Amino acid sequence: MGLAAAKGLAEAGANVLIASRSPEKLAQAKAEIGKPVETRTLDIRNEKQVADFFAAVGPLDHVVVSAADAVWKPFLQAELKVVQDFFDSKFWGAYRVARYAAPHLSKDGSIVFFSGAASQRGTPGLVAGSAINAAIEALGRTLAVELAPIRVNTIAPGLIDTPVWGMLVTEEEKQAVFKQAAGKLPAGRVGRADEVGHAVRYLIENTYTTGSVLFVDGGYLQV
């Protein structure tokens, strides 16, 4: 989803800088975007790296935080250390980025976080992600007030077909989940990464939207 956002923004003419802790993923992303983009390695779990990164980058207009690990296990089966690492990556990673990016953002700039529609519903196996997503949404609402006039918003995707599924389940299990979901969702299908990327661009461009959670979920919360 972060890649789709970067690609859409680059195609719209923005000067895009993408960061990842994986040089291989950065090279692949740069090739896939097909437009001039800057790349840098960064592990948002490391506070010093985050601080040094933004000090080196300097003035910015917008920051999008999409990096995170993922865990999908029942509550009593998920190892606590794994859940803590998930929290460190997705919540504290976003927190660190906002903390060290904010002093470098223009006054009409913005921060876009990623949560997930599961923040609003109890779903077996998603207890860690649901709690983290809800925390990120609360972070976004609060920072929208505290960092104003910098705008802060959160995107909450629903079921989106992205490579992250390969970290969670087998291909067969994924297809079963998607088929079942498609039969229930008002949209009649799972989402695409480019649809989430479009939502990122909206939140960057719409200067009267702040403190909001934008659900890109195919109607997930209505069923």
Side-chain angles (χ1 to χ4, degrees):
M1 290 181 278
L3 173 58
K7 186 174 183 179
L9 291 167
E11 290 174 347
N15 295 319
V16 177
L17 165 62
I18 56 176
S20 169
R21 63 177 182 251
S22 168
E24 294 77 18
K25 287 185 178 180
L26 283 173
Q28 182 180 352
K30 187 172 184 177
E32 187 170 335
I33 289 171
K35 298 283 185 180
V37 295
E38 185 178 352
T39 62
R40 299 194 186 190
T41 56
L42 172 65
D43 186 346
I44 61 174
R45 299 170 301 180
N46 185 307
E47 183 174 7
K48 185 177 187 305
Q49 278 193 34
V50 176
D52 291 347
F53 174 86
F54 286 105
V57 169
L60 292 165
D61 292 317
H62 307 282
V63 172
V64 179
V65 191
S66 63
D69 293 326
V71 175
W72 188 0
K73 281 189 176 182
F75 176 66
L76 295 178
Q77 296 177 21
E79 300 86 348
L80 186 56
K81 178 63 167 60
V82 172
V83 174
Q84 289 172 330
D85 287 346
F86 185 12
F87 210 105
D88 188 35
S89 171
K90 188 164 185 177
F91 175 80
W92 286 112
Y95 190 103
R96 293 183 192 102
V97 168
R99 171 67 181 82
Y100 290 103
H104 302 283
L105 282 168
S106 60
K107 296 303 181 184
D108 57 352
S110 71
I111 298 171
V112 178
F113 293 130
F114 270 66
S115 63
S119 64
Q120 305 298 305
R121 286 175 54 179
T123 303
L126 294 180
V127 62
S130 296
I132 293 167
N133 290 336
I136 290 173
E137 292 169 12
L139 176 66
R141 286 190 294 267
T142 305
L143 291 186
V145 176
E146 187 165 336
L147 298 181
I150 294 170
R151 295 178 298 107
V152 184
N153 294 289
T154 304
I155 289 179
L159 197 62
I160 309 295
D161 188 0
T162 72
V164 74
W165 280 94
M167 300 166 52
L168 303 174
V169 296
T170 66
E171 179 64 21
E172 184 178 357
E173 290 171 332
K174 185 188 86 167
Q175 293 303 325
V177 170
F178 284 7
K179 182 177 180 180
Q180 183 182 34
K184 295 180 179 179
L185 291 171
R189 61 175 176 84
V190 301
R192 303 188 310 270
D194 66 288
E195 292 169 317
V196 180
H198 180 270
V200 171
R201 184 174 170 185
Y202 163 77
L203 291 177
I204 286 176
E205 293 180 348
N206 190 298
T207 57
Y208 201 56
T209 303
T210 191
S212 295
V213 178
L214 177 57
F215 291 91
V216 186
D217 65 355
Y220 168 76
L221 296 183
Q222 311 309 315
V223 296

